[in-house]
Amino acid sequence: MIRSELGAAGIDDPRLREGYRRCRELNAAHGRTFFLATRLLAPDQRPAVHALYGFARYADDILDDLDPGLSTDIRGMRLQQLADKFFAGGDHLDDPVLAAVTHTARRYRIDTGLFDDFLASMRMDLTITNYPDRAALNLYMRGSAEAIGLQVLPVLGTVTPAEEAAPYAAALGRAFQLTNFLRDVDEDLLRGRVYLPADELAAHGVDRELLTWCHQNRRTDPRVRTALAAQHEITRETYRFADAGIAMLSPRSQPCVAAAATLYSEILDRIEQSDFAVFSRRATVGRARRLQVGGIGLIRSWRARNSSPGVSDPPGAA
């Protein structure tokens, strides 16, 4: 399968192919829902999306490595080394993941400022453990979520000017991350982080101390439940806005993005159905449902590629 994808994308250099293989492995291992959605893209699009995921995972692993011997200074140094290497230019054929993402960025003319924004948010994770308000959280998500959506947009292609689709692509990235923040409240606390606006929590009588109590007792206090429900509605509204942009994408890309949006938004359903029991269980979409959504998307993807192949392919794409 990977050989046919790389062949369709015109990636022949053995060293580059190894980089793309590594990125695909990272995606398959760590992003089940996202990886399933990529199967709905045309084969020539998949390697680029895997490369972008691989780079994000590369940086994320530096931050979230649980080795207690890794100080903040060491993590910061490694993150800076990654940034310096990426922005230094060259093909980076000595580093498989960097080789693939550099090739993708050049091929699809992805604005390098989006990678700078992403790395800036990763640096925030080194020292910032809570966000006082929505504006502060949005600043973080500009690099950690919106930039990812905008990086992927040139690979997906559009039927409108890209700048018209950009706000919706950014919003979908934000919706995915807000979903993760709700699902992973308990897990994030283990890393000493809270990705929910402190002032909005405080409006419901919630602070870090109460969240920690919930974590320790594996229970959701009623005040926390109310606060999480409010965050849940904000996330729902973000999906509603982002969904309007799917029709702006190239027809062959729409089934993939629609499936990803469906599956991620259904994580919100599971959270709500559990009565926000995020401290005692992790909300997931079952395998049968993932396969059902994926199967429907696969049929739609096949029809789109066969009825209008190559529509609105981005500049520079093979």
Side-chain angles (χ1 to χ4, degrees):
M1 180 68 72
I2 182 62
R3 289 183 179 179
S4 63
E5 292 173 359
L6 294 174
I11 301 168
D12 301 319
D13 187 308
R15 292 169 297 179
L16 266 181
R17 290 170 73 93
E18 178 56 33
Y20 279 103
R21 284 193 192 94
R22 176 60 182 148
C23 291
R24 186 181 189 275
E25 290 169 358
L26 287 170
N27 196 342
H30 299 287
R32 291 187 305 172
T33 299
F34 186 73
F35 182 75
L36 174 62
T38 66
R39 310 308 304 147
L40 307 182
L41 291 171
D44 66 282
Q45 293 174 297
R46 296 172 198 163
V49 175
H50 295 322
L52 293 169
Y53 180 94
F55 181 76
R57 187 73 202 185
Y58 202 150
D60 200 48
D61 283 347
I62 292 173
L63 295 168
D64 290 338
D65 190 321
L66 296 179
D67 183 350
L70 291 179
S71 66
T72 297
D73 287 344
I74 292 175
R75 295 175 198 270
M77 179 187 68
R78 291 184 178 179
L79 199 59
Q80 188 59 49
Q81 288 173 341
L82 174 63
D84 290 344
K85 195 170 183 180
F86 176 78
F87 290 112
D91 294 328
H92 306 299
L93 294 178
D94 60 325
D95 187 314
V97 172
L98 278 184
V101 73
T102 298
H103 180 260
T104 289
R106 290 174 180 166
R107 180 177 190 179
Y108 288 93
R109 303 174 191 172
I110 299 172
D111 181 1
T112 56
L114 295 173
F115 295 94
D116 197 27
D117 288 344
F118 168 73
L119 290 168
S121 289
M122 296 303 97
R123 292 187 194 97
M124 291 172 68
D125 270 332
L126 291 171
T127 56
I128 297 176
T129 58
N130 64 280
Y131 294 85
D133 50 36
R134 179 69 53 178
L137 185 63
N138 284 344
L139 178 61
Y140 172 76
M141 289 193 293
R142 186 175 73 185
S144 64
E146 294 181 8
I148 304 299
L150 295 173
Q151 287 172 11
V152 173
L153 188 58
V155 181
L156 299 177
T158 61
V159 294
T160 65
E163 58 269 22
E164 291 183 15
Y168 300 96
L172 189 57
R174 191 166 66 251
F176 288 166
Q177 188 161 63
L178 288 170
T179 301
N180 289 340
F181 289 162
L182 280 170
R183 181 192 63 191
D184 299 336
V185 171
D186 192 64
E187 183 179 325
D188 289 333
L189 279 168
L190 286 173
R191 297 189 173 97
R193 301 174 189 156
V194 177
Y195 292 106
L196 302 172
D199 62 340
E200 295 177 20
L201 296 180
H204 301 282
V206 177
D207 56 16
R208 181 185 284 263
E209 183 179 1
L210 183 55
L211 291 174
T212 301
W213 182 92
C214 293
H215 164 71
Q216 293 171 342
N217 291 275
R218 321 311 294 168
R219 290 174 53 192
T220 304
D221 179 273
R223 291 165 291 178
V224 173
R225 183 178 295 109
T226 302
L228 293 181
Q231 297 299 312
H232 184 279
E233 180 52 35
I234 290 170
T235 307
R236 280 281 183 218
E237 183 58 35
T238 307
Y239 276 109
R240 284 192 282 269
F241 174 81
D243 284 347
I246 294 177
M248 298 181 181
L249 300 175
S250 171
R252 70 177 188 157
S253 299
Q254 290 178 22
C256 165
V257 178
T262 296
L263 291 173
Y264 265 93
S265 66
E266 287 189 9
I267 293 174
L268 288 181
D269 294 340
R270 304 299 183 270
I271 293 171
E272 187 173 34
Q273 289 163 5
S274 76
D275 200 21
F276 298 94
V278 294
F279 299 95
S280 58
R281 68 184 75 170
R282 192 171 193 267
T284 60
V285 176
R287 185 171 183 269
R289 176 56 178 162
R290 293 200 307 272
L291 291 176
Q292 180 186 39
V293 172
I296 294 170
L298 191 63
I299 294 171
R300 291 175 177 169
S301 176
W302 182 86
R303 287 175 176 169
R305 293 206 299 269
N306 284 275
S307 64
S308 53
V311 171
S312 298
D313 287 338

